[in-house]
Amino acid sequence: MSTVAVNSKPHYLILDGLRGVAAIMVVVFHIFEAHANSHLDQIINHGYLAVDFFFLLSGFVIGYAYDDRWHKLTLKEFFKRRLIRLQPMVIMGMIIGAVCFYYQDSVLWPQISDVPVWKMLLVMVIGFTLIPLTPSQEIRGWGEMHPLNGPGWSLFFEYIANIMYALFVRKFSKTVLAILVILSGAALVHLALTAPAGDVVGGWSINAEQLKVGFSRMMFPFFGGLLLSRMAKITYIKNAFLWCSLLLIVVLAMPRIGGADNLWLNGIYESVTIICIFPLIVYLGASGTVHGAASTKVCKFFGDISYPIYITHYPLIYIYTAWVANNKVSIQDGAPYAILLLVSAIVIAYACLKLYDEPVRKWLGKKFPNKNKVTV
């Protein structure tokens, strides 16, 4: 979820592009999810693991950008940079969620039609801050901490990870950080193997069970990415973007492992993916170089839309899911509308980027100048 532009340091354009590939896979996953009875029978099955990939990428890039700069970087400056980078699109995502909210009335969420406008707008304003709502305050019926824009939960944990990094984890030696990563990895494996559904899905509600899931999903990838940034000896990999993209698509699209009778097998698959395959993809991506104008444009485009599409697409998914549920639409009959949704999500993301996010961040950057010229 992060973009790095640091003077005197090379820019990992391939990592930007991979983040965009993962974001597109999230949208596709959510489209297929609308037609599935559960993740056991869903096509494009493991798209939700893209969130764990985002956390790992974020930890890697933040470590790369900031680890050697704290001698001249204050906590205030760090948090200011993170807010400028992330918060404008958080606000836009909530606004889009509010605009789309009443179009999502359906058999899935029958209470939507009874929600007064003032309450919906209040939830929107609270969402601007990413302060989570408890299940009793939620207005949809799914228990989400951000019911107007569900993916806001991952930004909530992204901020927690950033706070932890800035306050104390940045001071950890490699050994202490490795211990934290090993313990976090063990907690993640325990979650994956013992979860009732045999997966790491969750983290979007404010209750003990979901907070456990959210912290487990955030801790290993983020701080594992940080450790990777400190320890990896970058080499050169030819065609890295192509091979990394294919590997990422395969692991996110992989069918359910083990079925209903052997849920633990899927837990093993997800543990191996997050702990081994995602760090490998990031390492290979960081070791690659983009050659040619066309490849550069592709990586840049995917990188540019990655965060905007992730944080703005879900209100469209709510509408699509409601339509599918109300009319019992099959994936075959829904395919043209699904394609339209995907294209619309990309167009909206790009429009938000160019017409809102970049101008706002540029204005904020001038109003609150970055003394150290570090932007992530």
Side-chain angles (χ1 to χ4, degrees), residues 59 131 152 175 185 194 231 263 322 328 350:
I131 294 173
T175 301
T194 61
M231 299 188 67
L263 295 172
K328 298 183 175 14
Y350 192 75

Side-chain angles (χ1 to χ4, degrees), residues 110-311:
Q111 71 186 59
I112 283 180
S113 59
D114 297 326
V115 176
V117 174
W118 69 264
K119 188 173 184 180
M120 183 272 292
L121 293 175
L122 177 61
V123 168
M124 180 187 72
V125 173
I126 295 173
F128 291 167
T129 69
L130 280 184
I131 294 173
L133 298 176
T134 63
S136 63
Q137 300 169 315
E138 202 261 345
I139 59 175
R140 179 180 303 280
W142 267 7
E144 298 162 291
M145 66 172 74
H146 298 296
L148 293 179
N149 191 19
W153 74 269
S154 62
L155 272 297
F156 171 74
F157 282 102
E158 171 85 8
Y159 275 135
I160 291 176
N162 278 253
I163 292 169
M164 292 176 65
Y165 166 74
L167 292 183
F168 53 89
V169 176
R170 65 180 173 86
K171 302 175 184 178
F172 286 4
S173 66
K174 291 181 182 178
T175 301
V176 174
L177 180 59
I179 292 172
L180 174 64
V181 170
I182 291 170
L183 293 175
S184 300
L188 181 68
V189 172
H190 180 267
L191 169 67
L193 294 180
T194 61
D199 54 43
V200 299
V201 173
W204 49 73
S205 294
I206 294 296
N207 57 49
E209 178 184 356
Q210 289 293 305
L211 286 173
K212 174 186 174 183
V213 175
F215 275 104
S216 297
R217 294 186 70 181
M218 175 271 286
M219 287 293 294
F220 172 82
F222 187 91
F223 295 112
L226 176 63
L227 181 63
L228 182 63
S229 75
R230 294 182 179 182
M231 299 188 67
K233 303 299 182 183
I234 302 303
T235 182
Y236 173 73
I237 305 296
K238 188 176 181 180
N239 297 321
F241 179 64
L242 173 62
W243 295 119
C244 289
S245 296
L246 290 176
L247 181 56
L248 186 59
I249 290 170
V250 168
V251 297
L252 295 182
M254 182 67 67
R256 194 73 169 191
I257 307 297
D261 296 327
N262 297 288
L263 295 172
W264 61 275
L265 289 175
N266 194 72
I268 290 177
Y269 171 78
E270 296 191 4
S271 299
V272 171
T273 296
I274 298 171
I275 293 174
C276 300
I277 298 179
F278 284 167
L280 175 63
I281 291 174
V282 171
Y283 172 76
L284 295 177
S287 298
T289 302
V290 180
H291 298 286
S295 297
T296 299
K297 289 180 180 179
V298 169
C299 280
K300 186 177 186 307
F301 176 76
F302 274 92
D304 284 348
I305 67 167
S306 60
Y307 179 44
I309 197 171
Y310 176 75
I311 204 63

Side-chain angles (χ1 to χ4, degrees), residues 75-103:
L75 287 173
K76 179 181 178 181
E77 186 75 14
F78 174 79
F79 290 127
K80 180 181 70 176
R81 292 296 96 198
R82 300 308 292 143
L83 285 168
I84 290 176
R85 176 65 186 97
L86 298 175
Q87 205 60 26
M89 283 307 303
V90 168
I91 292 172
M92 178 55 69
M94 295 299 168
I95 292 173
I96 293 174
V99 171
C100 295
F101 181 68
Y102 290 106
Y103 296 100

Side-chain angles (χ1 to χ4, degrees), residues 34-35 103 105-108 319-331 333-334 337:
H35 296 276
Y103 296 100
D105 187 28
S106 65
V107 295
L108 290 176
I319 294 175
Y320 183 79
T321 302
W323 173 69
V324 169
N326 284 341
N327 299 281
K328 298 183 175 14
V329 181
S330 68
I331 186 63
D333 293 337
Y337 302 95

